[in-house]
């Protein structure tokens, strides 16, 4: 089992007194501590226009800062929106390669397509098209990385033959992932030999079923990239405190705030009926979380990592038995939890929970680049 | 935390009915035609259109709904409703500002049993092969003209209709005051189309939504559905956040 931290970068109103500056720098402080504690990776979303919920519109810049301030922790695009109105595929490939170079080969490359009208409408993107464009990106970007020159004539874009530069530091290229929020997307990930980057808060039974489906399909996959990245990551909340009741109570404030914010956004499905978005994805799941857990009770929902170290060990063992390889933790939302408490929670988790789990050594700068890719999940 | 509405509920009740009882039986309307045209609206007034209990969506939205029943327990009727998209705590909702219904049993039932802010009038829902439209005139002036253009079939399960929060003066526990009445109909869709949304006329004063300006079309849908208007299960104090001000009946 590996552990990561996961950033939406939630900024509360009012947006004055340098609050965005403060929140960004608090996140960086958390990342430095996570690196010291031996966390495997830091992930940052790409979201646009999502007021308070996520002010993380340029994750490649945030992740570059993370890489510059840390030694071991891997940096994960979680995810790059693979829709032309958001990111041209050539630019996505170029930026990722630069980040991989600057981080000495610590990049994890997540792909996805956005799930809100707030974002897709804001960028004037057609929700009916996003699955198709995502598919093209996942097949073409690895080609841009691994071929000296590359040309393409496709549905979403075309390019005459050019050298897309620079090339990633990891060879053949960084591990690739797919954001999995809609049911069935884990199958898309498996069929393309990509890691499954879970972004919903399902229970154990649901997750176990998804993992089994993923593992069985990936055995016969046709990899989109140059290698298979068979990994299953899921997202969770983290608040660890010596006193279980305090941990659950404080952690419930975090889960409640996050779910409440997510519910204010406009999922595609609510206003733009389309088969491309059969369910609201992350937003619905977090809303359900909030409804179950409004922040006042002292019981934690199944699998949520809030409470004392003993409880967290118990819950993570259950995730492990479901076949999950990695858990990525959200640490805060709306600055609900003071920074010192977030750092204390991370420290306690690192000291008392992480030692209970097998530690796959993270890729380091001293490892050969091929080994770094393999350690990150490539084979 | 998210932006709350800041409208005085007293200002939102100009067309709101008085509901003498909330003990409403469910009622199914068969084979109803439903046109829904959704637009983004000018965000500068989004909080002014909602009471403190509700949050505007991000971005703020307008739902224009045209509905025609050719038969059924309430007889034949046509209804036009203008709603502001919102959230009651974490739940997706729409707040009707005014509705226009043809005269008859339906107008009275929708007003008294489900709290629709009904004005009797002559809305017209037109169905053509290349478009569907809902139109309402006030005298000789068009106060609403909204259309779906170039319909294409979609799956019956692709649509999501959000519940309404209908502001009504409710007589309850010897007190008469405005409440938000949750109306969450069930839609059993048998045919669904989607197309381009277009609003050609919208008089925000008529619709009791001053300064509401539709600015950006999202999408329109047109369905045939059996609609079950529900029993009233929840009401919400319009002055309190819905998460704490909701009362189960």
């Amino acid at each position: 089992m590996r552990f990561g931290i996961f950033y939406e970068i939630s900024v509360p109103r009012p947006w004055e007194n340098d609050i965005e500056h403060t929140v960004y720098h608090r996140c960086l402080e958390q990342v430095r501590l996570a690196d010291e504690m031996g966390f495997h990776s830091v992930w940052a979303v790409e979201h646009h226009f999502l007021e308070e919920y996520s002010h993380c519109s340029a994750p490649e810049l945030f992740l570059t800062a993370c890489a510059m301030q840390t030694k071991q922790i891997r940096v994960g695009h979680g995810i790059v929106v693979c829709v032309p109105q958001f990111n041209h595929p050539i630019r996505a490939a170029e930026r990722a390669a630069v980040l991989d170079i600057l981080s000495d080969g610590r990049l994890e490359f997540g792909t996805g397509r956005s799930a809100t009208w707030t974002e897709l409408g804001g960028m004037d993107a057609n929700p009916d098209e996003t699955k198709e464009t995502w598919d093209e990106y996942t097949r073409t970007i690895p080609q841009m990385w691994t071929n000296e020159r590359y040309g393409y004539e496709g549905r979403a874009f075309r390019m005459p033959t050019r050298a897309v530069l620079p090339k990633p530091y990891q060879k053949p290229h960084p591990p690739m992932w797919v954001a999995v929020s809609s049911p069935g997307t884990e199958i898309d990930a498996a069929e393309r030999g990509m890691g499954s980057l879970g972004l919903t808060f399902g229970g154990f039974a649901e997750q176990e079923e998804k993992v089994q489906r993923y593992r069985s399909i990936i055995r016969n996959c046709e990899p989109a990239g140059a290698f298979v990245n068979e990994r299953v990551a899921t997202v969770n909340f983290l608040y660890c405190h010596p006193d279980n009741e305090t941990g659950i109570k404080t952690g419930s404030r975090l889960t409640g705030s996050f779910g409440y914010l997510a519910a204010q956004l406009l999922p595609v499905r609510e206003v733009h009926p389309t088969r491309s978005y059969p369910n609201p994805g992350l937003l619905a799941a977090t809303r359900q979380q909030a409804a179950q857990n409004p922040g006042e009770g002292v019981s934690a929902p199944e699998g949520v990592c809030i409470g004392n170290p003993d409880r967290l060990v118990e819950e993570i063992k259950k995730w492990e038995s479901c076949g999950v390889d990695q858990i990525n933790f959200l640490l805060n939302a709306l600055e609900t939890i003071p920074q010192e408490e977030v750092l204390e929670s991370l420290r306690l988790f690192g000291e008392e929970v992480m030692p209970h789990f097998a530690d796959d050594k993270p890729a380091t700068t001293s490892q050969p680049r091929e080994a770094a890719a393999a350690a990150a999940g490539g084979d | 935390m998210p932006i709350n509405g800041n409208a005085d509920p007293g200002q939102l009740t100009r067309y709101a009915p008085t509901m003498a009882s909330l003990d409403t039986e469910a009622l199914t309307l068969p084979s109803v035609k439903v046109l829904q045209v959704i637009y983004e609206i000018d965000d500068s007034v989004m909080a002014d259109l909602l009471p403190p209990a509700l949050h505007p969506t991000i971005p703020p939205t307008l739902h224009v709904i045209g509905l025609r029943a050719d038969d059924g327990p309430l007889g034949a009727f046509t209804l036009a409703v203008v709603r502001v998209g919102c959230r009651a705590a974490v739940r997706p909702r729409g707040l009707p500002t005014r509705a226009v219904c043809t005269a008859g049993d339906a107008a009275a039932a929708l007003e008294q049993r489900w709290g629709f802010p009904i004005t009797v009038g002559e809305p017209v829902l037109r169905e053509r092969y290349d478009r569907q439209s809902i139109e309402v005139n006030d005298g000789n002036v068009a106060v609403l003209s909204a259309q779906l253009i170039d319909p294409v079939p979609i799956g019956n399960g692709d649509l999501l209709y959000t519940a309404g929060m209908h502001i009504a003066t409710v007589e309850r526990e010897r007190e008469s005051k405005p409440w938000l009445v949750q109306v969450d109909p069930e839609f059993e869709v048998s045919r669904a189309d989607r197309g381009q949304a277009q609003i050609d006329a919208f008089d925000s004063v008529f619709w009791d939504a001053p300064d509401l300006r539709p600015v950006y079309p999202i999408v329109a849908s047109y369905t045939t559905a059996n609609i079950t208007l529900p029993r009233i299960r929840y009401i919400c104090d319009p002055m309190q956040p819905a998460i704490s001000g909701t009362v189960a009946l």
Side-chain angles (χ1 to χ4, degrees):
Chain A
M1 179 66 81
R2 292 169 173 170
F3 300 106
I5 53 176
F6 186 86
Y7 284 101
E8 302 274 2
I9 309 192
S10 164
V11 181
R13 286 193 171 86
W15 299 326
E16 54 194 30
N17 300 324
D18 303 325
I19 183 68
E20 287 174 323
H21 180 271
T22 301
V23 171
Y24 262 90
H25 283 274
R26 283 177 182 163
C27 293
L28 287 171
E29 186 180 21
Q30 293 158 15
V31 173
R32 290 193 297 271
L33 178 59
D35 186 41
E36 287 171 26
M37 303 307 300
F39 277 78
H40 171 265
S41 46
V42 48
W43 295 82
V45 298
E46 178 187 342
H47 279 313
H48 305 269
F49 319 123
L50 302 190
E51 304 179 10
E52 293 193 298
Y53 176 81
S54 173
H55 291 218
C56 192
S57 53
E60 70 281 7
L61 296 179
F62 173 71
L63 292 169
T64 304
C66 292
M68 296 300 95
Q69 297 182 22
T70 55
K71 293 189 174 109
Q72 304 274 352
I73 199 166
R74 295 181 64 82
V75 289
H77 259 305
I79 47 78
V80 176
V81 181
C82 295
V83 173
Q85 288 84 352
F86 290 64
N87 297 295
H88 193 284
I90 297 171
R91 292 287 291 132
E94 291 169 340
R95 286 197 307 256
V98 172
L99 178 51
D100 196 45
I101 289 168
L102 293 176
S103 65
D104 297 323
R106 286 187 277 157
L107 178 65
E108 305 276 331
F109 188 74
T111 63
R113 60 186 181 122
S114 180
T116 67
W117 174 259
T118 315
E119 293 168 281
L120 291 165
M123 293 288 189
D124 198 24
N126 181 353
D128 293 336
E129 297 283 325
T130 57
K131 199 85 171 175
E132 286 88 343
T133 58
W134 164 80
D135 209 359
E136 274 187 279
Y137 278 46
T138 59
R139 285 181 282 115
T140 53
I141 288 175
Q143 298 295 323
M144 294 178 200
W145 284 333
T146 53
N147 292 292
E148 186 168 309
R149 279 178 293 280
Y150 182 66
Y152 179 70
E153 187 86 30
R155 190 172 180 278
F157 75 103
R158 61 182 184 165
M159 58 181 290
T161 301
R162 295 285 188 279
V164 179
L165 301 169
K167 304 299 180 191
Y169 186 70
Q170 293 174 90
K171 301 298 178 195
H173 59 72
M176 294 178 70
W177 297 77
V178 183
V180 174
S181 50
S182 297
T185 309
E186 74 279 3
I187 296 172
D188 290 338
E191 286 174 341
R192 290 157 184 78
M194 297 163 81
S196 171
L197 185 63
L199 295 178
T200 53
F201 298 87
F204 296 123
E206 180 190 332
Q207 188 64 41
E208 189 165 16
E209 196 181 322
K210 277 186 177 179
V211 173
Q212 283 173 358
R213 209 159 35 224
Y214 173 85
R215 302 269 189 225
S216 66
I217 292 172
I218 203 166
R219 282 188 215 121
N220 301 311
C221 72
E222 185 181 345
F227 61 92
V228 174
N229 181 32
E230 186 182 342
R231 305 286 300 174
V232 175
T234 187
V235 71
N236 208 311
F237 296 97
L238 176 63
Y239 188 71
C240 187
H241 190 277
D243 176 63
N244 194 46
E245 191 169 322
T246 304
I248 291 174
K249 200 168 177 181
T250 304
S252 296
R253 291 206 325 261
L254 162 61
T255 62
S257 299
F258 184 80
Y260 202 89
L261 280 182
Q264 307 309 315
L265 311 170
L266 208 49
V268 170
R269 183 165 157 72
E270 186 178 326
V271 292
H272 194 286
T274 170
R275 284 188 182 168
S276 184
Y277 289 88
N279 80 356
L282 170 65
L283 306 177
T286 53
R287 201 175 300 160
Q288 187 183 13
Q289 181 84 32
Q292 289 169 345
N293 192 7
E296 293 170 356
V298 288
S299 64
E302 174 184 282
V304 175
C305 292
I306 54 177
N308 66 10
D310 289 345
R311 180 176 185 279
L312 267 53
V313 168
E314 199 176 310
E315 294 301 307
I316 292 166
K317 293 271 185 205
K318 292 178 196 164
W319 285 117
E320 201 170 40
S321 70
C322 293
V324 168
D325 301 310
Q326 175 162 343
I327 301 177
N328 297 321
F329 293 114
L330 274 159
L331 304 177
N332 214 347
L334 280 180
E335 297 301 280
T336 301
I337 304 176
Q339 174 74 347
E340 273 314 308
E341 292 181 35
V342 173
L343 297 174
E344 278 305 312
S345 162
L346 265 180
R347 261 186 219 106
L348 187 60
F349 183 85
E351 288 165 1
E352 297 200 17
V353 178
M354 284 171 72
H356 289 263
F357 297 91
D359 179 24
D360 292 329
K361 291 291 180 197
T364 69
T365 54
S366 60
Q367 289 178 283
R369 286 173 283 158
E370 291 78 3
D379 62 15
Chain B
M1 287 298 281
I3 295 165
N4 287 88
N6 60 24
D8 175 354
Q11 300 294 314
L12 299 175
T13 54
R14 194 188 321 265
Y15 298 102
T18 295
M19 296 176 72
S21 168
L22 295 170
D23 190 13
T24 296
E25 287 300 316
L27 179 75
T28 299
L29 303 171
S31 297
V32 180
K33 309 285 189 187
V34 186
L35 171 66
Q36 180 165 260
V37 177
I38 302 182
Y39 259 64
E40 293 189 19
I41 59 176
D42 179 3
D43 69 326
S44 64
V45 295
M46 62 185 181
D48 303 338
L49 299 166
L50 300 170
L54 304 176
H55 305 295
T57 53
I58 305 296
T61 47
L62 165 72
H63 310 159
V64 173
I65 300 169
L67 188 151
R68 193 180 77 212
D70 295 322
D71 199 1
L74 298 178
F77 71 94
T78 302
L79 173 73
V81 186
V82 163
R83 309 193 319 174
V84 178
C86 59
R87 295 286 185 266
V90 298
R91 308 291 178 197
R93 298 286 182 259
L95 177 84
T97 62
R98 194 176 182 185
V100 176
C101 187
T102 46
D105 292 347
L110 293 171
E111 183 175 59
Q112 290 159 20
R113 296 171 61 182
W114 290 282
F116 281 83
I118 296 285
T119 300
V120 172
E122 291 296 329
V124 179
L125 182 72
R126 289 197 179 87
E127 183 178 7
R128 303 282 184 265
Y129 282 101
D130 67 333
R131 68 191 59 212
Q132 292 88 38
S133 65
I134 180 76
E135 292 175 9
V136 178
N137 289 340
D138 183 22
N140 292 325
V141 178
V143 292
L144 178 68
S145 175
Q147 306 186 67
L148 177 157
I149 298 172
D150 293 338
V152 291
I154 56 172
N156 296 340
D158 292 341
L159 273 158
L160 194 68
Y161 288 105
T162 54
M165 296 295 274
H166 297 188
I167 195 157
T169 301
V170 173
E171 291 171 10
R172 188 170 179 270
E173 295 173 351
R174 296 180 189 166
E175 191 186 9
S176 184
K177 60 171 263 194
W179 286 88
L180 292 163
V181 178
Q182 180 178 314
V183 179
D184 42 4
E186 286 179 17
F187 288 75
E188 185 193 339
V189 176
S190 56
R191 182 197 147 183
D193 287 339
R194 194 191 74 188
Q196 183 187 328
Q198 183 171 305
I199 292 179
D200 298 310
F202 183 83
D203 183 335
S204 65
V205 173
F206 177 88
W207 292 103
D208 202 27
D211 302 322
L212 185 159
R213 232 168 22 93
V215 293
Y216 192 87
I218 300 179
V219 84
S221 60
Y222 188 68
T223 60
T224 304
N226 295 335
I227 303 176
T228 300
L229 293 164
R231 282 185 64 80
I232 305 300
R233 298 178 299 140
Y234 297 100
I235 57 174
C236 175
D237 183 341
M239 290 303 292
Q240 286 189 53
I243 201 162
S244 56
T246 299
V247 176
L249 300 177

